Amino acid sequence: MVTHIAVEPSVTRALLERFHITRKRSVSLTEGLSEEDCCVQSMPDASPIKWHLAHTTWFFETFILEKLEADFRPHHQAFRVLFNSYYNGVGNKHPRAQRGMLTRPSTDEVIAYRHNVDARMARLLESAVAQGGHTELATLTELGIQHEQQHQELMLTDVKHLLSMNPLFPAYAEGVPAIIYSARVPELLWIPMEASIVEIGHASDAFCFDNETPRHRQFVEPFSLASRLVTNAEYLAFIEDGGYRNPNLWLSEGWDLVRTNELTQPIYWHQGDDGAWHEYTLYGLRRLQSAAPALHLSYFEAEAYARWAGARLPTEFEWEAVAAKYAITGDTPSLHPHPTQQAGLTQLYGTAWQWTSSSYAPYPGFEPAAGAIGEYNGKFMVNQYVLRGSSCATPAGHARLTYRNFFPTTARWQFTGIRLAKSSDRAPAYL
Amino acid sequence: MVTHIAVEPSVTRALLERFHITRKRSVSLTEGLSEEDCCVQSMPDASPIKWHLAHTTWFFETFILEKLEADFRPHHQAFRVLFNSYYNGVGNKHPRAQRGMLTRPSTDEVIAYRHNVDARMARLLESAVAQGGHTELATLTELGIQHEQQHQELMLTDVKHLLSMNPLFPAYAEGVPAIIYSARVPELLWIPMEASIVEIGHASDAFCFDNETPRHRQFVEPFSLASRLVTNAEYLAFIEDGGYRNPNLWLSEGWDLVRTNELTQPIYWHQGDDGAWHEYTLYGLRRLQSAAPALHLSYFEAEAYARWAGARLPTEFEWEAVAAKYAITGDTPSLHPHPTQQAGLTQLYGTAWQWTSSSYAPYPGFEPAAGAIGEYNGKFMVNQYVLRGSSCATPAGHARLTYRNFFPTTARWQFTGIRLAKSSDRAPAYL
Amino acid sequence: MVTHIAVEPSVTRALLERFHITRKRSVSLTEGLSEEDCCVQSMPDASPIKWHLAHTTWFFETFILEKLEADFRPHHQAFRVLFNSYYNGVGNKHPRAQRGMLTRPSTDEVIAYRHNVDARMARLLESAVAQGGHTELATLTELGIQHEQQHQELMLTDVKHLLSMNPLFPAYAEGVPAIIYSARVPELLWIPMEASIVEIGHASDAFCFDNETPRHRQFVEPFSLASRLVTNAEYLAFIEDGGYRNPNLWLSEGWDLVRTNELTQPIYWHQGDDGAWHEYTLYGLRRLQSAAPALHLSYFEAEAYARWAGARLPTEFEWEAVAAKYAITGDTPSLHPHPTQQAGLTQLYGTAWQWTSSSYAPYPGFEPAAGAIGEYNGKFMVNQYVLRGSSCATPAGHARLTYRNFFPTTARWQFTGIRLAKSSDRAPAYL
Amino acid sequence: MVTHIAVEPSVTRALLERFHITRKRSVSLTEGLSEEDCCVQSMPDASPIKWHLAHTTWFFETFILEKLEADFRPHHQAFRVLFNSYYNGVGNKHPRAQRGMLTRPSTDEVIAYRHNVDARMARLLESAVAQGGHTELATLTELGIQHEQQHQELMLTDVKHLLSMNPLFPAYAEGVPAIIYSARVPELLWIPMEASIVEIGHASDAFCFDNETPRHRQFVEPFSLASRLVTNAEYLAFIEDGGYRNPNLWLSEGWDLVRTNELTQPIYWHQGDDGAWHEYTLYGLRRLQSAAPALHLSYFEAEAYARWAGARLPTEFEWEAVAAKYAITGDTPSLHPHPTQQAGLTQLYGTAWQWTSSSYAPYPGFEPAAGAIGEYNGKFMVNQYVLRGSSCATPAGHARLTYRNFFPTTARWQFTGIRLAKSSDRAPAYL
């Protein structure tokens, strides 16, 4: 699952602090929401907010407390099944599509569950600090924190989907991380890269998920990568040019989807009777912003747009190669990605996850962790595509250069956008 | 929809009182429930409690206030669509299967909606009292009250279904109307009836739904009707005799359902590892009570049981003929059905709706009311079967001799049971 | 299943002759068809022609030869499963939806199967003639003949459906029984009937299916029945008046179907780019004939048309009462229905099956036959509606006054039409 | 689509000969089949034999005759729609799932269509020979031949699937290409390969499909490849070890499939009441051959087996690298793959298509051909996995080193098997 991380008292103390910060942030994300908003499941792919709050707690209880707590007793026996997501190795699971049926336990009971587990985790971590560190505890706690950060992003995507189904188009809240983009769209530059062997995957001692390892070599043929994401205005031009009506622009399976579901625009776009376009956002329904990045696109939409634009999607190796090369020296992109980049490269992180043409697959030599925790990533390595970067909904400090997000080609409710690429016939003109 | 009812000030005053009582009871049914319990939809056939609270209010606002209020303004424009159930004549509808997505408006907002409409209804009715009565207002208010009573029963069936899907098997509440049955099961008597022309349908000036009219004649061949409902012990004998494994006992479509859904028992029955049977009830999971009536059976289950028992289901005309004949003199069965009957006939009302073999169809000469309100009953008159009597979940005063409830043959979440019948070859021995 | 029929040598001899005629007719229906036409199954509701040829043979082999033949040995062991339709009592069945997968046995092998069974049946029947008759053999042979006649109609409806799915719109053949209608449409008369107790169901010693028994009494309130069927021109007026766009004309379930399947016209109607209407027939695609009866309508379409026309569908009892009353004296309507009737009543038989508003249910006192043969009718008595009369595809001599055909409300591929009815408030003006 | 091929009269003459051979072979594949066998479609993924015969003809007519014939007139206007498979650029298509409905045109008419197109093609090609060659004609004819060879393999897989659904388990024929395997299974060797940059993709002037281009570089980390395919005996051990009951062996999506479809064994395996295993083959049902390669496995089955065996599937680059390296010198593996290989490497070609872990994606710099013919490959490059080698059903001369076959992960009806791979930590021990 993870490479074991170095442990000293100071490290463990910092971990304890990050544990508390992370745990509090999850709850704070529910501030503008009612109990009802937190309970309902809008589709099988999404989970209720309350379930996220409980499942992230279950994760600490199951993979840390049960293993390392002296006289472990589960907070509530039934929660062990109710909030298991997909870990077959741990026992029974409550069916995913029925997570929204769990009106009980109440939100208060779930919060009590969180407090209980938080207190027990704090005791364990404090005791480890006192004893000079505990490698396994530190490793698993870091994993639990990262896992919870992933669910924080899902809480935002899932609640956005739920609220979008309400004809009243309610706003989620005002305090949501905003998408950073300038009102003036910078010119799209093509950042070239020569043919080369590149090193791909996680290298440092810092945390990463198992799917980012092992670091290995890939050969990359010459290509260019777009300096920024596709904008709403550009995507609208695709629509107005008949993008959703032309089968030649789509992968065969994507076209079937367009026809079957009568798709004509991105999931959260609405066109008024007057022809004006609006977009449902976490702030409610807003006039479509031309300069903003086009969001919530499926792989099929991204791929069709790229074909229409005379380009293609990058592979995940191309993306990582360029991102690694043009990160500002002295920056530590693996932990603190920064929106300002050399070479005009922007919006790598913090705006939208960027579809790549790479099917989600194990790196050469990949070995999942032993036990149930090894079910984390590997068993999803089929029929999904890798997304790189991070989005406006990704928690601070969660993204990194080698991060591999993944979703099925049909997923439209994530903060997903498009960065284009092009193959080159000759040596790049740039540099 | 309804026959117009007599109106005098005293009648209108009584109506106002019943209006308030009915409206309060709906809210009181939610007392043991959380906001989450009230919001979630467990299946397309069921609706959230909150939706029931709002829709019954919408009914008064749409069919009475909009028509009779001097300067009508809807409480909230969007509610007109959100809480319309199926009245095409009124305008757009929110899709039935997405009622559970409505986390907004909140329960508080729905309660405010109720208060607003209640106050405006009270003003209208008080003004009518002052003016000596208003036929249309009285007629429609009575209809609104009856409509809300129907939804009160659905609130109980729907919340029971929702809570039953929770592995914690939470209890709904303690104050629920209990099923009246004696611990000792009375002997099952066959109450005979000679061949005769019987008058079927509503006769008095009191309220009834349009589907109970017009009163007309049916010829009934000689038969006998069971004096009581089938018990849990009897239904268990059917199961233990292989009832769910023998295709010869089932209608062809029912057998397909048994096979496809791997049915082995009623929807709320559970068998423990020790072989002991339990039943989920509104009080939580309870040991199966032998003497209690078997409940929550589909038409297919009821029909298969009857075949296994060497009997059949009665027609709705047979049911009404016997119920009319053996009602205690001096009783007014049409408004105040009484569980004690002559001839040993019991459990007609207040225990379980009783499946009949009659497909739900218009009576000869049936005419639905004009306008949208005419969509109330008639358009469901196909592929559903009539249930007679009333259940432990039916509000007091709602049942009557000529009442026609109806559900599809697959419905299992209603309080539905079995009363058997038999055709006779000869003149009945009884009397 | 059947009332036992009188048996004398002459009766058995006549039966043998009808057996041969019926068996030959089934094969002659395939004359214009290729082996491919006979093998393909166009939808789960329809069966391949070859399957019909084999299944009707299986019926004689299973229910007569196996029981009465001295040293019974099945023609082919596997056929016992392959060509069992739905008789659970007989053993395993091949899944209905996979009947079209049976490219083997070949048509030739099925014809050989037919010859084998025909020869064995002939021996049995001839031996019975020699011995002065055999009640059970005669009874079951009559049933087998009637069963095969039913399948002859299905062969025409099923092959029509198959060929209709071919963009080439091939004709089935020229020798098909034509629909009898005059080029000039007679005025639609309303034939009245007073309130009365009517006797319903089969009365004579002649053959009938079990579902036509027992003869019993029904009370019929005053009403009028249309003298003829609805024409294509009349149904077209319904379409042009927005019939398929107005929810108020449809039963709720029918309207869902219209919307989900985007229905705008009967299943075999096609509108050209020039607006001209055509109808796919067994002779190929033809210009829509105004005076011809509207055919291939579902119950929902028939019911919606009736509402639009200010009328309703008759009950099966109303239909039988009028048909019985106005049959020409001296005629034997139960065996030889005649298109010419008193009172202007036309198109009772031989044109289109006429939907009634009666759900298919057992008559009072109905008892299915013992054993597997008792599965013939009773187990379909739910969620289907009764059709009366007979169609242009019904074999000669098969229809009768008391015949009860039945199909689900969604069925569109049968030769089904509309005869209207109206309830009367007062004594009928006619006579 | 294709690289243009060299054209001289002798080349064109050879092409004409191969054209005739290929066209005749398609028809000869139907020798043991009835018209019914050729018409029925067993599932949407499979097509009827007759449709294959017509569609391959349509391909020549549409992409060659229409373009190059002087006074082109289609053989039959309707065939242009009926036998178009998925080329949106060519016009309308007949729905894939309804190909089995086409009982007309008859097999004879399709054969006549073939003769007509064959004669016209022959005229064109002979005229080209006379004129010294015609580049475009030669290029497209080669493509048409290769296309038809692909369909020859599909004819075998599709008819096998159809016949397998018949409880009689009929044999297809005796003349089928047999799987070459020795009765004694050779020891499984692990053939190692060092880290290296490998050249991938088509290099010569000979024909290839567009998806094999452009030739480009891939970096391959050290690994070993199994010398032979997994046998039935080995796969049976997986089953007997609970392979289909252990979720930890499966990708998450694969496990869902196992559960939903209650999979317990490969699609054509049958276990008798006595526990003996049989396999449906083109020769009929046969006792399972231990030494034979396990066939007809989905990607999920292959991947689960590999995990159980402590190995993994190779990438398509690993497969091609090893196959290229160990091909016997002097052989021309790109056109005439030979089962005997150096290094003990066997069963590369002619036994079973070998699943790779590579998602089907465009090679860097891939450009589909212009026009409708460019729809051939590119638009399926998502959610499918690459298979390498060829199978016992692949026509002679069709396979080559760089060939990329592809199917969805669920496909079980193709001749698909398993070749294992392993990542290496250190320099290989071999050589």
Side-chain angles (χ1 to χ4, degrees), chain A residues 36-37 50 103-104 166, chain B residues 36-37 50 103-104 166:
Chain A
E36 303 164 62
D37 294 332
K50 188 171 71 175
T103 59
R104 323 275 178 99
N166 192 319
Chain B
E36 303 165 61
D37 295 331
K50 188 172 71 175
T103 59
R104 323 277 179 99
N166 193 318

Side-chain angles (χ1 to χ4, degrees), chain C residues 32-43 50 76 78-79 82 94 98 100-108 162-163 165-168 170-172, chain D residues 32-43 50 76 78-79 82 94 98 100-108 162-163 165-168 170-172:
Chain C
L33 301 176
S34 67
E35 290 187 14
E36 304 164 61
D37 295 332
C38 292
C39 183
V40 171
Q41 180 173 30
S42 62
M43 61 170 170
K50 188 172 70 175
H76 192 305
F79 292 7
L82 290 182
H94 188 245
Q98 290 181 20
M101 297 298 111
L102 299 177
T103 58
R104 322 277 179 99
S106 69
T107 305
D108 283 353
L162 169 64
L163 297 177
M165 297 191 74
N166 193 318
L168 303 173
Y172 159 69
Chain D
L33 301 176
S34 67
E35 291 187 12
E36 304 164 60
D37 295 331
C38 293
C39 183
V40 171
Q41 180 173 30
S42 62
M43 59 171 172
K50 188 172 70 175
H76 191 306
F79 292 7
L82 290 182
H94 188 245
Q98 290 181 20
M101 297 297 110
L102 299 177
T103 59
R104 324 276 179 99
S106 69
T107 304
D108 283 351
L162 169 63
L163 297 177
M165 297 191 73
N166 193 318
L168 303 173
Y172 158 68

Side-chain angles (χ1 to χ4, degrees), chain D residues 112-342:
Chain D
Y113 179 33
R114 290 184 69 89
H115 288 164
N116 174 277
V117 166
D118 287 354
R120 290 151 70 195
M121 279 295 300
R123 269 199 299 279
L124 260 191
L125 284 161
E126 281 155 9
S127 149
V129 171
Q131 291 162 24
H134 185 301
T135 303
E136 188 173 19
L137 173 61
T139 301
L140 289 170
T141 302
E142 180 65 51
L143 178 62
I145 289 170
Q146 298 281 343
H147 172 259
E148 183 139 357
Q149 287 179 320
Q150 291 182 311
H151 279 275
Q152 286 171 357
E153 176 150 4
L154 293 176
M155 287 167 77
L156 291 175
T157 59
D158 291 357
V159 81
K160 180 169 182 176
H161 186 263
L162 169 63
L163 297 177
S164 80
M165 297 191 73
N166 193 318
L168 303 173
F169 292 123
Y172 158 68
E174 291 304 314
V176 186
I179 294 165
I180 297 159
Y181 62 89
S182 60
R184 273 186 54 238
V185 183
E187 192 188 355
L188 190 152
L189 304 172
W190 291 100
I191 301 172
M193 186 137 181
E194 293 178 0
S196 54
I197 295 177
V198 294
E199 302 250 329
I200 295 294
H202 192 69
S204 79
D205 285 345
F207 172 85
C208 75
F209 286 112
D210 58 356
N211 62 7
E212 302 167 48
T213 65
R215 188 162 173 88
H216 67 287
R217 290 158 286 185
Q218 292 281 349
F219 191 89
V220 171
E221 296 281 359
F223 74 100
S224 304
L225 190 72
S227 60
R228 62 161 173 79
L229 304 188
V230 169
T231 64
N232 279 336
E234 288 165 341
Y235 198 83
L236 184 56
F238 164 71
I239 295 176
E240 290 175 343
D241 194 41
Y244 284 85
R245 296 190 305 270
N246 182 357
N248 294 321
L249 296 174
W250 297 78
L251 290 165
S252 179
E253 188 179 332
W255 181 243
D256 287 348
L257 212 75
V258 166
R259 293 272 299 257
T260 305
N261 298 290
E262 300 178 3
L263 304 183
T264 56
Q265 63 211 48
I267 183 172
Y268 293 140
W269 288 29
H270 298 265
Q271 192 171 24
D273 292 337
D274 60 353
W277 286 95
H278 291 75
E279 186 176 16
Y280 178 70
T281 74
L282 288 170
Y283 314 108
L285 200 64
R286 293 283 171 95
R287 191 82 185 226
L288 190 72
Q289 305 294 312
S290 297
L295 288 179
H296 297 292
L297 302 170
S298 72
Y299 179 86
F300 291 122
E301 290 171 312
E303 209 268 354
Y305 176 86
R307 185 171 294 114
W308 174 80
R312 61 170 173 82
L313 301 177
T315 68
E316 63 168 322
F317 309 124
E318 290 171 339
W319 192 100
E320 187 170 328
V322 172
K325 181 171 181 183
Y326 293 104
I328 290 167
T329 314
D331 189 13
T332 48
S334 73
L335 280 179
H336 309 290
H338 195 285
T340 311
Q341 304 280 348
Q342 286 184 341

Side-chain angles (χ1 to χ4, degrees), chain B residues 105-179:
Chain B
S106 69
T107 305
D108 282 353
E109 289 172 295
V110 166
I111 295 295
Y113 179 33
R114 290 184 69 89
H115 288 163
N116 174 277
V117 166
D118 286 354
R120 289 152 71 196
M121 279 295 299
R123 269 198 298 279
L124 260 192
L125 284 162
E126 281 156 8
S127 149
V129 171
Q131 291 162 26
H134 185 301
T135 304
E136 190 174 17
L137 173 61
T139 301
L140 289 171
T141 301
E142 180 66 51
L143 179 62
I145 290 171
Q146 298 282 343
H147 172 259
E148 184 139 358
Q149 287 179 320
Q150 292 183 310
H151 279 275
Q152 286 171 357
E153 176 149 3
L154 293 175
M155 287 167 76
L156 290 175
T157 60
D158 291 358
V159 81
K160 180 170 182 176
H161 187 263
L162 169 64
L163 296 177
S164 80
M165 297 191 74
N166 193 318
L168 303 174
F169 292 122
Y172 159 68
E174 292 304 315
V176 186
I179 294 166

Side-chain angles (χ1 to χ4, degrees), chain B residues 118-402:
Chain B
D118 286 354
R120 289 152 71 196
M121 279 295 299
R123 269 198 298 279
L124 260 192
L125 284 162
E126 281 156 8
S127 149
V129 171
Q131 291 162 26
H134 185 301
T135 304
E136 190 174 17
L137 173 61
T139 301
L140 289 171
T141 301
E142 180 66 51
L143 179 62
I145 290 171
Q146 298 282 343
H147 172 259
E148 184 139 358
Q149 287 179 320
Q150 292 183 310
H151 279 275
Q152 286 171 357
E153 176 149 3
L154 293 175
M155 287 167 76
L156 290 175
T157 60
D158 291 358
V159 81
K160 180 170 182 176
H161 187 263
L162 169 64
L163 296 177
S164 80
M165 297 191 74
N166 193 318
L168 303 174
F169 292 122
Y172 159 68
E174 292 304 315
V176 186
I179 294 166
I180 298 157
Y181 63 90
S182 60
R184 273 185 55 238
V185 183
E187 192 187 354
L188 190 151
L189 304 173
W190 291 100
I191 301 171
M193 186 135 182
E194 293 178 0
S196 54
I197 296 175
V198 294
E199 303 249 330
I200 296 293
H202 192 68
S204 79
D205 286 345
F207 172 85
C208 75
F209 286 111
D210 58 357
N211 63 7
E212 302 167 50
T213 65
R215 189 161 172 89
H216 67 286
R217 289 158 287 184
Q218 292 281 348
F219 191 90
V220 170
E221 296 282 358
F223 74 101
S224 303
L225 190 73
S227 60
R228 61 161 174 80
L229 305 188
V230 169
T231 64
N232 279 336
E234 288 165 342
Y235 198 84
L236 183 56
F238 165 71
I239 295 176
E240 290 175 344
D241 193 40
Y244 284 86
R245 296 190 306 270
N246 182 357
N248 294 320
L249 295 175
W250 297 78
L251 289 165
S252 180
E253 188 179 332
W255 181 243
D256 287 349
L257 212 75
V258 166
R259 292 272 299 258
T260 305
N261 298 291
E262 299 178 5
L263 303 184
T264 56
Q265 62 210 50
I267 183 172
Y268 294 139
W269 288 29
H270 299 265
Q271 192 170 25
D273 292 337
D274 61 352
W277 286 96
H278 291 76
E279 185 176 17
Y280 178 69
T281 73
L282 287 170
Y283 314 107
L285 201 64
R286 293 282 171 95
R287 191 82 185 227
L288 191 72
Q289 305 293 311
S290 298
L295 287 179
H296 298 294
L297 303 170
S298 72
Y299 180 85
F300 291 121
E301 290 171 312
E303 210 267 355
Y305 176 87
R307 185 171 293 113
W308 174 80
R312 60 169 175 84
L313 301 177
T315 67
E316 63 168 320
F317 309 124
E318 290 171 338
W319 193 99
E320 186 170 329
V322 172
K325 182 171 179 183
Y326 292 105
I328 290 168
T329 315
D331 191 13
T332 50
S334 71
L335 280 178
H336 309 290
H338 196 284
T340 311
Q341 305 280 346
Q342 285 184 341
L345 190 61
T346 61
Q347 298 179 318
L348 278 184
Y349 304 100
T351 302
W353 290 100
Q354 294 141 60
W355 284 110
T356 74
S357 64
S358 297
S359 178
Y360 182 46
Y363 285 167
F366 171 72
E367 291 289 344
I373 222 164
E375 298 184 44
Y376 198 88
N377 273 310
K379 71 186 196 181
F380 301 108
M381 288 177 170
V382 71
N383 292 334
Q384 310 218 36
Y385 282 73
V386 175
L387 298 115
R388 291 301 196 102
S390 63
S391 85
C392 54
T394 311
H398 186 71
R400 70 190 149 266
L401 175 63
T402 59

